[in-house]
Amino acid sequence: MRQPFTRRDILGVLGSLAACSRTRSQESPSRHPVADVLSSIPLDAVHLTGYLGKKLDLCIANRILAQDPAKLVEPFRKRVERSCWQSEFWGKWFLSAAAACQYTKADARQRLGDSVHQVLATQSPDGYIGNYAPNSHLKSWDIWGRKYTLLGLLAWVDMTQDSAALDGARRLADHLLTEVGPGKADIVTCGLYRGMASSSVLEPIVQLFHHTRDERYLTFARYIVSQWSLPKGPQLIEKALNGTAVGQRFPRPAKWWSWENGEKAYEMMSCYAGLLELYRETGEPNYRNAAVRTYESIRNTELNIAGSGSSQECWYGGAARQTEAAPDTMETCVAVSWMQLCAHLLRITGDSRYADEIERTAYNALLGAMTPDGVAFAKYSSLEGTRQLGTPQCGMDLNCCTANGPRGMMLLPETAIMMHADGPVVNLYSAGTWNLKSCRIEVNTGYPFDGLVDLRVTPHQSENFALRLRIPAWSAATAVTVNRTPVPGIQAGAYATIRRNWKAGDVVRLRLDLSARTVRAGRFAAVERGPLVLARDARLEANRAPDGIDFVTVTGQKGTANEVRLCDYASAGNTWDQRSSFRVWLPA
């Protein structure tokens, strides 16, 4: 039985009705929904092998499917929290587990369904699902945790069309609407980081509107974005459009982990993910423009050579300072959120530069953070030193980055090959097979250690369509052939489009330019080869590559003092102790 309305509830409803009336009395906001340029194919039609496939299999078997979800549900039953974030762990795990279940076709659906219904069994009559004590609602990470619960429930709805899960998600969102909004609590004063943690709930609220077409959720989404523009808000649109760098949007706070801190990287990008969901529903150009400008600011001023950034989890102008020591760099949650932001922009725009960034971060920052067995992910990573795991958080047996790293891994099969209106789009060159509606694509390659990539295209029947191949921006000299006939006009940093009448047995071959490239920064230099950042590792004093290193190259003149042996960054340091201390930036 639902609880009776309180005076606060009635006043809140009246305030919301008044706000809606004012909106209707003015010109209603226009809506011009926007379709994505690229769409993902079903994960059960994808099978990655080779280097990426092996890494993904380890993560799925030893981290995602090895997790006991019952432990993650327990905080929802206790409800004694006042400041911590235990309630994010179930949603993060479930998002990766739902994707892994579809990708592997593993017999885990029943287990996932049981976990969903365990969560729903904790729902209060008023709709609340969370771990916070009643007198601590809206504080710290409460709404942030509700966001991840909503995302998990909606992922299950996407998989199964489970009406009970959709009803539970609606009731959870409806309860939030009784606490936050016009005449109630202000979303940007709830929780931490100028309300960015709390207002990132925008993402599942828009998804819920997409599922239900209930205008209340779209109204609430617009309300969230409107509050960002207040002087006390994070000003995520205005500061993006006026070109303010993400690490300079607000003064350094007196207290770092506080509401005043406006440069928290993970939460900021989570808000832009929600803003792009709202752009899809409304077509408001400034929503997309703000996200693109923020992407450019992060790319130009914050990302280091490994495709990640942040110090103490915040933006700090890190691109120009990456050769300097800084505390707690490259939070894995930041790397994953960056990949997710790029994936949104890739789907919306079809621009290959976003796939370039997903690749760089995946091969370097993300795989470098994953333990060799796939069991865990580093909380922070660095460009020199030794790798270290983070400590468990909030009395749980994992931390935010070990929970979030698998979501980055599950982006790889989702974005490797996508669909354009007129044919497949190859973004990541992994060995594997893709069973599309129009054709089957088999990729045979030793990439990223070998630049030769063969794609065998087998249409279900002879058919004319376009096949787009991402030519990485770093590949200065790329050759493409179809059945040994050269394809002209190949350009780095763009898609090569091959439109033809495809027939069984057609083979497309790419030769990507894996020449080593030297990158200089002041007194230091680093080396890249293909998508890989290379590093010095203490184990490379031996004449042969030790176990655990996938690739070794030599720069300088062999047999002279200039000879330096390097390995890929993800292999560097992977004993996770002093035996494999490593360094990316070397004295030039």
Side-chain angles (χ1 to χ4, degrees):
M1 180 180 295
R2 295 183 182 274
Q3 298 294 327
F5 280 102
T6 65
R7 181 175 182 273
R8 181 184 177 187
D9 293 331
I10 295 170
L11 290 173
V13 170
L14 290 174
S16 298
L17 289 174
C20 292
S21 176
R22 287 194 298 272
T23 299
R24 283 193 294 267
S25 69
Q26 302 165 1
E27 184 179 355
S28 297
S30 59
R31 279 190 60 224
H32 303 284
V34 177
D36 285 340
V37 173
L38 301 183
S39 59
S40 298
I41 65 174
L43 285 173
D44 60 6
V46 182
H47 180 61
L48 301 186
T49 57
Y51 178 75
L52 277 188
K54 291 176 183 177
K55 295 287 189 182
L56 183 60
D57 289 347
L58 287 167
C59 180
I60 290 173
N62 297 333
R63 163 88 312 261
I64 299 174
L65 298 183
Q67 176 65 49
D68 178 7
K71 294 181 179 180
L72 309 183
V73 178
E74 191 59 31
F76 296 136
R77 300 189 181 102
K78 294 180 179 178
R79 296 192 180 179
V80 295
E81 191 53 62
R82 300 182 186 280
S83 62
C84 286
W85 52 94
Q86 298 95 328
S87 54
E88 73 167 35
F89 293 139
W90 179 83
K92 285 184 175 179
W93 166 78
F94 193 90
L95 289 164
S96 61
C101 180
Q102 296 171 76
Y103 172 73
T104 62
K105 309 178 189 68
D107 187 20
R109 184 174 289 239
Q110 182 64 47
R111 183 176 168 217
L112 267 62
D114 290 345
S115 184
V116 166
H117 293 118
Q118 288 171 15
V119 167
L120 292 175
T122 72
Q123 190 161 34
S124 298
D126 62 7
Y128 180 72
I129 301 175
N131 64 326
Y132 272 63
N135 61 356
S136 294
H137 278 201
L138 309 182
K139 295 180 180 178
S140 297
W141 298 99
D142 181 33
I143 300 178
W144 172 266
R146 299 191 216 184
K147 172 189 79 170
Y148 275 111
T149 302
L150 280 169
L151 287 171
L153 293 174
L154 292 175
W156 181 246
V157 173
D158 288 334
M159 277 183 70
T160 66
Q161 308 304 309
D162 185 340
S163 59
L166 181 58
D167 180 64
R170 293 193 69 159
R171 292 177 57 215
L172 176 55
D174 290 349
H175 176 259
L176 179 62
L177 267 62
T178 69
E179 294 185 313
V180 175
K184 292 159 280 191
D186 186 343
I187 191 77
V188 296
T189 62
C190 295
L192 303 170
Y193 311 117
R194 292 188 175 267
M196 290 189 295
S198 295
S199 59
S200 69
V201 77
L202 174 66
E203 182 180 8
I205 290 295
V206 179
Q207 290 182 12
L208 192 56
F209 169 72
H210 182 76
H211 277 281
T212 65
R213 312 318 290 179
D214 187 332
E215 290 287 336
R216 293 179 306 129
Y217 303 131
L218 187 61
T219 299
F220 188 64
R222 291 184 186 276
Y223 154 77
I224 292 173
V225 173
S226 72
Q227 300 307 100
W228 290 351
S229 298
L230 298 178
K232 59 188 174 184
Q235 299 170 43
L236 295 173
I237 296 177
E238 292 80 5
K239 288 183 180 290
L241 295 179
N242 70 20
T244 303
V246 292
Q248 299 176 359
R249 292 187 175 180
F250 292 95
R252 184 179 178 87
K255 184 178 180 182
W256 194 254
W257 312 108
S258 66
W259 179 87
E260 288 80 10
N261 191 333
E263 269 79 52
K264 190 70 159 59
Y266 173 17
E267 289 73 7
M268 182 187 291
M269 289 186 288
S270 298
C271 288
Y272 284 109
L275 191 64
L276 288 171
E277 290 282 20
L278 189 56
Y279 168 72
R280 289 184 174 96
E281 293 294 344
T282 64
E284 169 53 53
N286 276 343
Y287 297 168
R288 167 177 159 163
N289 295 341
V292 170
R293 294 293 296 274
T294 297
Y295 158 88
E296 292 168 346
S297 176
I298 295 169
R299 174 67 180 80
N300 296 334
T301 67
E302 295 293 344
L303 287 197
N304 60 35
I305 195 170
S308 187
S310 75
S311 173
Q312 293 186 302
E313 305 179 16
C314 295
W315 300 130
Y316 73 116
R321 302 168 63 182
Q322 60 184 294
T323 61
E324 306 169 9
D328 298 336
T329 55
M330 293 171 61
E331 185 193 21
T332 296
C333 285
V334 170
V336 171
S337 299
W338 170 246
M339 291 174 65
Q340 291 166 338
L341 177 62
C342 290
H344 274 291
L345 291 169
L346 176 63
R347 291 197 299 268
I348 287 171
T349 67
D351 189 330
S352 68
R353 63 176 172 159
Y354 302 116
D356 281 351
E357 292 302 326
I358 291 171
E359 177 183 70
R360 176 167 68 140
T361 303
Y363 277 115
N364 298 292
L366 183 63
L367 289 180
M370 189 176 84
T371 56
D373 56 8
V375 168
F377 288 78
K379 181 77 170 71
Y380 306 111
S381 299
S382 66
L383 296 178
E384 67 174 287
T386 58
R387 301 195 186 278
Q388 297 178 347
L389 288 175
T391 57
Q393 295 173 332
C394 308
M396 307 290 279
D397 63 352
L398 75 169
N399 59 47
C400 58
C401 292
T402 287
N404 225 6
R407 296 179 64 206
M409 295 298 293
M410 293 313 304
L411 265 180
L412 303 180
E414 184 179 321
T415 55
I417 294 183
M418 303 177 77
M419 289 300 299
H420 188 276
D422 60 2
V425 180
V426 182
N427 292 310
L428 303 178
Y429 294 109
S430 171
T433 57
W434 286 259
N435 293 304
L436 311 177
K437 288 183 178 180
S438 58
C439 65
R440 174 183 172 89
I441 297 178
E442 301 172 67
V443 180
N444 182 29
T445 183
Y447 190 85
F449 308 117
D450 186 341
L452 184 63
V453 183
D454 281 343
L455 299 92
R456 182 175 296 274
V457 181
T458 306
H460 303 314
Q461 59 185 14
S462 182
E463 185 176 349
N464 188 286
F465 56 83
L467 175 66
R468 288 174 171 80
L469 308 172
R470 180 182 66 91
I471 308 301
W474 47 257
S475 186
T478 304
V480 180
T481 62
V482 179
N483 301 332
R484 300 186 178 180
T485 300
V487 175
I490 303 303
Q491 180 181 345
Y495 288 109
T497 301
I498 305 171
R499 187 182 298 277
R500 59 182 272 117
N501 195 53
W502 298 90
K503 60 184 185 301
D506 284 343
V507 175
V508 179
R509 170 166 286 187
L510 291 89
R511 288 188 181 275
L512 296 166
D513 184 357
L514 295 191
S515 301
R517 309 180 303 280
T518 301
V519 181
R520 294 186 177 271
R523 300 182 296 106
F524 298 92
V527 181
E528 298 174 311
R529 185 177 187 270
L532 302 176
V533 173
L534 305 185
R536 188 83 176 97
D537 185 292
R539 295 169 293 174
L540 293 176
E541 296 296 337
N543 290 326
R544 63 180 181 84
D547 291 341
I549 289 184
D550 291 291
F551 172 80
V552 176
T553 188
V554 177
T555 63
Q557 293 182 330
K558 188 173 178 61
T560 73
N562 293 325
E563 182 182 9
V564 180
R565 306 187 77 231
L566 304 171
C567 69
D568 65 292
Y569 174 79
S571 294
N574 66 8
T575 65
W576 292 67
D577 57 30
Q578 289 292 336
R579 289 174 296 163
S580 62
S581 60
F582 65 93
R583 185 172 184 178
V584 169
W585 290 104
L586 305 173

